[in-house]
Amino acid sequence: AEDITDNVLHLLSSKMNGLTGDVQTLLKVMACFGSSTNESVIGYLSESVEYAGVRNGLEGALSDGFIVKDGEGCLQFVHDKVREAAYNLIPDSDKKQFHYHLGKVLYSFCDGEDVGDTIF
């Protein structure tokens, strides 16, 4: 069973490596938040220079079937292994910096307010 899991991750990773940069960035960002992300987070990020392409990436990730959107604006990975493969797009040596930078950009939108109230 372990071999099958590894094969699925390898296939997903191979497919994701062939995606556009915008779709890869969107998948990496979502993977940092876990199995689901509120669409408002993507909206905030798309207003920043660093993550301007995530809105375009959202459309690609939806059409490629990696994520789904519910009626309440929640974006979810279709499976835990898809999230794991997306998270693995970030090199291990860069993961802490990626999380830090993501948080820093989101915090910049809070204008002194509580992050949870403003963004989530």
Side-chain angles (χ1 to χ4, degrees), residues 15-27 53 56-57 60 64:
K15 180 159 173 76
M16 287 179 182
N17 280 322
L19 298 171
T20 66
D22 287 347
V23 176
Q24 284 188 27
T25 299
L26 179 274
L27 292 172
N56 294 335
D64 286 343

Side-chain angles (χ1 to χ4, degrees), residues 13-114:
S13 295
S14 295
K15 180 159 173 76
M16 287 179 182
N17 280 322
L19 298 171
T20 66
D22 287 347
V23 176
Q24 284 188 27
T25 299
L26 179 274
L27 292 172
K28 289 188 280 190
V29 164
M30 281 189 59
C32 287
F33 286 98
S35 60
S36 65
T37 309
N38 194 302
E39 193 172 8
S40 66
V41 172
I42 304 306
Y44 281 112
L45 288 171
S46 68
E47 294 177 26
S48 70
V49 173
E50 301 92 324
Y51 297 101
V54 292
R55 179 71 67 194
N56 294 335
L58 175 59
E59 299 308 317
L62 285 166
S63 66
D64 286 343
F66 292 115
I67 60 172
V68 292
K69 181 166 73 168
D70 70 13
E72 298 174 12
C74 184
L75 304 165
Q76 294 182 288
F77 284 99
V78 295
H79 193 277
D80 287 343
K81 291 299 175 191
V82 175
R83 190 206 72 78
E84 188 176 343
Y87 194 62
N88 287 339
L89 289 170
I90 308 167
D92 287 341
S93 59
D94 296 345
K95 281 185 166 86
K96 284 184 182 178
Q97 184 64 30
F98 193 90
H99 278 271
Y100 174 78
H101 189 260
L102 187 58
K104 190 174 173 184
V105 170
L106 286 172
Y107 184 74
S108 72
F109 287 101
C110 294
D111 197 34
E113 300 296 320
D114 183 79

